[in-house]
């Protein structure tokens, strides 16, 4: 608030403070739900995510999902929604590409079908959709909308979005600042692959190949090897993956992120295999459960307890090495210069060599069939398979490239993946059963962890038990045999003046009927979220938008003009005249100790990236600590 605002209205200022206090108090009184959001490439992957602890999954239909190889039939999405809703978990439709005019109606139809199929929200990028008559499905603003600026986030909240998926580049302090000035749900990525550019702000692939990242067909120019060349033509780095970032891992920041205002923790990976989904989902579920246990401020967003048959470990799934990115501000070692491929778990350093084996000292035991990799003397990533491991002796399929001092990594854990191939988790909902026995009736009641209750009444048919303890034990034992069902019964409370004997078959029939009734009652009680978006007149923060706003259809243009934007450029995919191809917070100079702030202001001259016939110019905005990549004229 500026000096003028304070001078004009002290009363207004006090009212604002009081209003903010009320919001804060309301947030403190009501527990905030904390959601673990996992990727679903398909139905099987989505079920695996739910079984391993996800509170929600995100999945794409056959079109417009930003991952061309991860589309699904609507009947499979509907099937997944029914499965997820049994645990009161949610399913979000991903429809976050930009759209052309002829695609708006098909996109709208997909959203309508998704809502009818039980989807709980739609993740979108294209604002043209808000100009259409959509069903009352909650809308989430994709990270592709470049959610970095507080004013823009406030605008998106005001026009009806129910959640903002934040830019990955934000720090903890920036997230907390956004949360303090908004009331909208905030989601952030906590694990998986990182785009080196601000999401939605990369046009390298489209410029060079016609394959647009904003259309879901990125050619991943950020994962290619480049030469870094100065203006004199000198090669400063040769054949290195200078734009390829390590993978994000914020498993150690979950409590900090909750306190900063995050409600949904998102795992990247709709193209990853099912073992990755199982392992990483289980890892974050385990960490969140520790934090949420007996917590008075936050609570889990879905139901059920997960029992794992393995110990989750992030290093045993696909990774390029890990970084916490900008969580605590700018740090070094964000990139993986040697390779864009999975390196995996560090094992140790080669001590000695023989003709067909090498020795390595490590606390980690390699297994027959493991995949190992290493960087050879030329700087290239090489890999082979372990034929046999005996103590510190490793007999690989090939010894080529392995030398004394070579650092060995395991990028395929044979035994670990074998565990994940089968049923590696069971998720059940906690329930209690009470039974009241009188001379004329038997009343059985079940109540689950969400307070959903069902009752069954039967006429008394039993005989008085001669062995009361045995009869009670049989009753309790049979009523808790809920294996293979949605529920796990933790407690059976029996009330009655007399103890009767009932055959085990009779008790089992009661239990099956009770559990089936409870399951159906849960299904009936589930409420699909519904939101009506109303028009308003709040202005967009800017009156001019260039191609980075990704406006690719008439309705999107109409949307922005209705909120006061007067000058609009077409999306890069339509008019490729934009010169800057990538906008980055990541900086090659900083990563390579070439930052002017560390060189006493010494200029480095112009720098370029070269890959085969492609050459790009690097522009460094040191004032804002950002880097741009531009095409050469």
């Amino acid at each position: 608030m500026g000096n003028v605002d304070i001078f004009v209205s002290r009363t207004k200022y006090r009212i604002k403070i009081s209003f903010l206090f009320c919001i804060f108090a309301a947030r403190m009184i009501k527990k905030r739900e904390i959601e673990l959001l996992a990727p679903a490439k398909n139905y099987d992957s989505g079920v695996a995510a739910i079984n391993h602890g996800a509170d929600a999954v995100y999945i794409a239909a056959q079109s417009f999902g930003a991952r061309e190889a991860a589309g699904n039939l609507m009947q499979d999405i509907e099937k997944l929604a029914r499965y997820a809703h049994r645990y009161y978990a949610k399913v979000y439709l991903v429809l976050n590409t930009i759209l052309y005019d002829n695609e708006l109606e098909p996109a709208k139809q997909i959203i309508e079908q998704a809502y009818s199929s039980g989807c709980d929200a739609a993740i979108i990028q294209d604002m043209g959709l808000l100009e259409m008559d959509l069903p009352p499905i909650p809308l989430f603003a994709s990270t592709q909308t470049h959610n970095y600026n507080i004013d823009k986030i406030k605008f998106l909240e005001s026009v009806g979005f129910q959640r903002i998926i934040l830019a990955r580049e934000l720090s903890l302090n920036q997230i907390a600042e956004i949360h303090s000035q908004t009331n909208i749900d905030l989601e952030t990525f906590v694990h998986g692959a990182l785009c080196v550019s601000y999401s939605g702000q990369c046009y390298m692939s489209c410029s060079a190949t016609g394959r647009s990242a904003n259309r879901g067909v990125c050619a991943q120019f950020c994962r290619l090897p480049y030469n870094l060349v100065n203006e004199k033509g000198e090669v400063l780095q040769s054949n290195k993956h200078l734009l390829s970032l390590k993978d994000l891992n914020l498993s150690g920041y979950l409590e900090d992120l909750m306190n900063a205002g995050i409600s949904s923790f998102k795992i990247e990976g709709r193209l990853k295999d099912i073992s990755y989904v199982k392992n990483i989902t289980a890892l974050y579920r385990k960490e969140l459960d520790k934090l949420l246990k007996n917590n008075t401020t936050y609570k889990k967003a879905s139901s059920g307890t997960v029992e794992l048959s393995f110990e989750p470990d992030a290093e045993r799934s696909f990774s390029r090495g890990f970084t916490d990115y900008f969580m605590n501000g700018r740090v070094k070692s964000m990139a993986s210069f040697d390779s864009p491929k999975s390196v995996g778990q560090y094992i140790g350093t080669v001590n000695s060599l023989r003709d067909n084996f090498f020795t390595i000292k490590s606390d980690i035991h390699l297994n027959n069939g493991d995949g190992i990799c290493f960087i050879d003397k030329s700087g290239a990533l090489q890999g082979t398979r372990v034929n046999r491991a005996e103590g510190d002796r490793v007999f690989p399929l090939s010894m080529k490239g392995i030398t004394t001092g070579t650092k060995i990594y395991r990028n395929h854990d044979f035994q670990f993946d074998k565990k994940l191939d089968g049923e590696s988790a069971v998720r059940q909902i906690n329930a209690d059963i009470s039974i009241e026995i009188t001379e004329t009736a038997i009343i059985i009641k079940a109540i689950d962890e969400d307070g959903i209750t069902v009752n069954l009444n039967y006429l008394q048919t039993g005989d008085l038990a001669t062995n009361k303890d045995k009869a009670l034990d049989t009753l309790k034992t049979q009523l808790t045999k809920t294996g293979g069902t949605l529920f796990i019964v933790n407690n059976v409370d029996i009330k009655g003046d007399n103890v009767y004997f009932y055959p085990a078959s009779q008790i089992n029939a009661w239990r099956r009927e009770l559990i089936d009734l409870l399951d159906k009652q849960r299904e009936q009680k589930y409420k699909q979220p519904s939101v009506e978006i109303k028009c308003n007149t709040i202005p967009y923060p800017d009156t001019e938008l260039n191609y980075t706003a990704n406006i690719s259809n008439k309705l999107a243009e109409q949307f922005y003009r209705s909120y006061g934007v007067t000058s609009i450029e077409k999306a890069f995919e339509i008019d490729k005249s934009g010169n800057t191809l990538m906008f980055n917070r990541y900086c090659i100079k900083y990563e390579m100790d070439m930052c002017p702030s560390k060189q006493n202001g010494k200029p480095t001259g112009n720098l370029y990236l070269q890959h085969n016939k492609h050459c790009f110019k690097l522009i460094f905005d040191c004032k804002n600590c950002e880097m741009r990549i531009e095409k050469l004229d």
Side-chain angles (χ1 to χ4, degrees):
M1 180 177 289
N3 292 331
V4 173
D5 292 324
I6 295 172
F7 177 77
V8 169
S9 178
R10 293 181 180 273
T11 302
K12 181 179 177 182
Y13 181 71
R14 286 195 294 271
I15 292 172
K16 182 178 179 182
I17 291 295
S18 177
F19 176 68
L20 290 174
F21 176 77
C22 290
I23 292 174
F24 176 76
R27 286 177 174 176
M28 293 300 291
I29 292 169
K30 184 179 179 181
K31 281 189 175 184
R32 192 168 86 235
E33 288 189 347
I34 300 299
E35 175 185 274
L36 176 59
L37 177 56
K41 181 179 182 179
N42 50 36
Y43 170 79
D44 290 338
S45 181
V47 168
I50 297 296
N51 289 345
H52 288 74
D55 299 303
V57 295
Y58 58 105
I59 189 170
Q62 287 186 293
S63 304
F64 315 127
R67 294 289 188 277
E68 193 176 43
N72 293 273
L73 297 174
M74 195 56 68
Q75 54 260 42
D76 289 332
I77 296 176
E78 182 176 8
K79 185 179 174 185
L80 177 59
R82 286 199 303 270
Y83 186 86
H85 291 168
R86 298 178 73 200
Y87 298 95
Y88 287 5
K90 293 181 171 62
V91 173
Y92 304 142
L93 174 76
V94 182
L95 200 150
N96 63 339
T97 64
I98 59 172
L99 303 167
Y100 297 145
D101 287 312
N102 65 328
E103 295 172 333
L104 286 165
E105 188 58 36
K108 176 192 171 188
Q109 291 174 6
I110 289 175
I111 293 176
E112 290 172 341
Q113 292 166 8
Y115 184 69
S116 298
S117 298
C119 285
D120 300 282
I123 301 170
I124 68 169
Q125 174 185 185
D126 200 303
M127 297 299 151
L129 291 167
L130 272 73
E131 294 292 290
M132 307 185 79
D133 185 20
L134 298 179
I137 188 170
L139 298 178
F140 295 171
S142 168
T143 190
Q144 294 295 116
T145 57
H146 187 42
N147 300 317
Y148 194 97
N149 178 276
I150 289 179
D151 290 335
K152 182 180 180 182
I153 291 170
K154 286 181 177 179
F155 171 80
L156 293 174
E157 179 180 6
S158 73
V159 298
F161 281 95
Q162 299 299 300
R163 178 181 293 181
I164 301 294
I165 306 172
L166 295 173
R168 292 170 172 91
E169 291 78 8
L170 293 172
S171 68
L172 270 172
N173 289 339
Q174 289 172 310
I175 292 171
E177 179 66 13
I178 290 170
H179 179 61
S180 72
Q181 297 191 41
T182 60
N183 295 309
I184 196 167
D185 276 353
L186 299 178
E187 175 185 311
T188 193
F189 284 90
V190 292
H191 200 96
L194 285 165
C195 292
V196 69
S197 70
Y198 289 110
S199 294
Q201 307 288 289
C202 178
Y203 311 96
M204 283 182 77
S205 173
C206 186
S207 175
T209 69
R211 294 172 55 183
S212 165
N214 280 306
R215 298 276 295 164
V217 286
C218 181
Q220 293 196 314
F221 264 62
C222 58
R223 302 298 182 187
L224 296 177
Y226 291 95
N227 293 334
L228 181 65
V229 181
N230 65 16
E231 58 190 6
K232 298 178 182 178
E234 299 170 333
V235 177
L236 307 181
Q237 284 284 341
S238 176
N239 200 39
K240 290 293 184 182
H241 301 268
L242 300 173
L243 298 176
S244 182
L245 298 185
K246 295 177 181 178
D247 287 355
L248 186 66
N249 185 337
L250 300 182
S251 57
Y253 289 89
L254 300 182
E255 186 172 20
D256 292 332
L257 285 164
M258 282 191 287
N259 293 336
I262 296 299
S263 295
S264 180
F265 296 93
K266 189 173 196 171
I267 299 167
E268 180 276 339
R270 278 190 291 137
L271 296 180
K272 299 290 200 313
D273 60 37
I274 198 167
S275 64
Y276 172 94
V277 173
K278 289 180 176 183
N279 182 33
I280 302 304
T281 302
L283 172 73
Y284 280 84
R285 178 76 275 153
K286 187 175 180 180
E287 293 302 314
L288 282 173
D289 283 348
K290 291 178 187 175
L291 296 172
L292 296 176
K293 186 177 182 181
N294 301 321
N295 196 295
T296 59
T297 306
Y298 313 112
K299 64 178 181 178
K300 188 167 64 172
S302 65
S303 309
T305 300
V306 176
E307 183 177 337
L308 301 172
S309 62
F310 69 102
E311 184 63 32
D313 185 347
E315 290 190 328
R316 294 186 172 187
S317 288
F318 183 101
S319 83
R320 303 172 178 90
F322 292 121
T323 175
D324 57 15
Y325 210 28
F326 288 96
M327 245 324 77
N328 290 308
R330 189 176 298 278
V331 294
K332 282 186 59 181
S333 300
M334 291 181 178
S336 178
F337 284 176
D338 292 320
S339 175
K341 298 179 181 179
S342 177
V343 176
Q345 182 182 28
Y346 176 67
I347 302 299
T349 302
V350 173
N351 290 327
S352 63
L353 301 172
R354 296 294 186 272
D355 290 340
N356 62 341
F357 72 88
F358 62 85
T359 64
I360 186 170
K361 283 189 176 181
S362 177
D363 294 332
I364 302 171
H365 179 68
L366 288 170
N367 300 301
N368 301 348
D370 282 353
I372 57 174
C373 62
F374 55 92
I375 305 297
D376 66 18
K377 287 187 174 181
S378 70
L381 183 71
Q382 303 290 348
T384 186
R385 189 181 72 238
V386 175
N387 283 341
R388 191 168 81 254
E390 298 175 352
D392 65 350
R393 293 184 176 189
V394 180
F395 297 79
L397 178 65
S398 171
M399 291 285 291
K400 184 179 179 181
I402 299 175
T403 62
T404 302
T406 296
K407 292 182 178 179
I408 300 294
Y409 298 82
R410 175 164 58 190
N411 57 1
H412 172 64
D413 190 320
F414 179 78
Q415 293 296 334
F416 187 74
D417 284 354
K418 188 176 180 181
K419 290 180 182 178
L420 293 177
D421 282 343
E423 186 177 291
S424 49
V426 175
R427 181 172 180 172
Q428 290 182 294
I429 295 166
N430 296 293
D432 292 328
I433 292 177
S434 63
I435 180 168
E436 184 177 350
I437 302 172
T438 70
E439 292 181 356
T440 59
I442 304 157
I443 304 168
I444 307 176
K445 177 181 177 181
I447 181 169
D448 70 14
E449 62 185 74
D450 295 302
I452 295 173
T453 305
V454 294
N455 295 280
L456 290 174
N457 297 310
Y458 301 99
L459 291 175
Q460 179 62 264
T461 58
D463 298 321
L464 287 172
T466 54
N467 188 331
K468 294 182 179 180
D469 290 339
K470 185 176 180 180
L472 289 172
D473 184 62
T474 299
L475 196 56
K476 289 183 177 181
T477 299
Q478 299 307 122
L479 286 175
T480 56
K481 287 185 175 180
T482 54
T485 75
L486 189 65
F487 302 95
I488 180 170
V489 175
N490 298 308
N491 183 59
V492 176
D493 182 40
I494 302 173
K495 295 179 181 179
D497 294 331
N498 295 309
V499 178
Y500 291 81
F501 170 78
Y502 308 103
S505 59
Q506 180 64 70
I507 303 171
N508 292 340
W510 292 340
R511 183 198 67 238
R512 286 192 293 268
E513 186 176 1
L514 186 72
I515 292 301
D516 184 58
L517 186 62
L518 186 59
D519 196 353
K520 290 178 180 177
Q521 185 72 355
R522 284 187 64 84
E523 184 178 355
Q524 292 174 6
K525 290 282 187 180
Y526 184 82
K527 293 183 179 180
Q528 183 184 12
S530 178
V531 175
E532 294 286 352
I533 295 179
K534 297 180 180 180
C535 295
N536 61 65
T537 57
I538 186 171
Y540 190 75
D542 301 306
T543 57
E544 298 181 0
L545 292 174
N546 63 20
Y547 64 94
T548 63
N550 300 325
I551 300 171
S552 57
N553 59 71
K554 292 178 181 177
L555 287 186
E557 182 176 342
Q558 178 179 303
F559 170 85
Y560 285 108
R561 290 196 186 281
S562 70
Y563 289 102
V565 179
T566 56
S567 176
I568 295 177
E569 289 184 1
K570 294 184 183 298
F572 188 91
E573 287 74 9
I574 296 174
D575 180 1
K576 294 183 173 61
S577 60
N579 194 47
T580 301
L581 302 181
M582 190 185 285
F583 297 81
N584 316 71
R585 193 176 182 192
Y586 163 80
C587 178
I588 286 178
K589 279 188 178 182
Y590 190 90
E591 189 78 1
M592 298 180 62
D593 281 330
M594 297 168 63
C595 178
S597 66
K598 295 187 177 184
Q599 305 241 347
N600 297 319
K602 181 181 178 182
T604 56
N606 292 329
L607 296 177
Y608 304 87
L609 291 177
Q610 292 181 341
H611 173 80
N612 296 336
K613 65 178 181 179
H614 299 290
C615 187
F616 306 97
K617 185 177 181 180
L618 298 178
I619 304 295
F620 299 94
D621 181 355
C622 295
K623 180 181 178 181
N624 294 308
C625 210
E626 293 182 331
M627 180 181 79
R628 302 194 306 274
I629 298 177
E630 296 189 351
K631 59 185 178 183
L632 293 178
D633 296 332

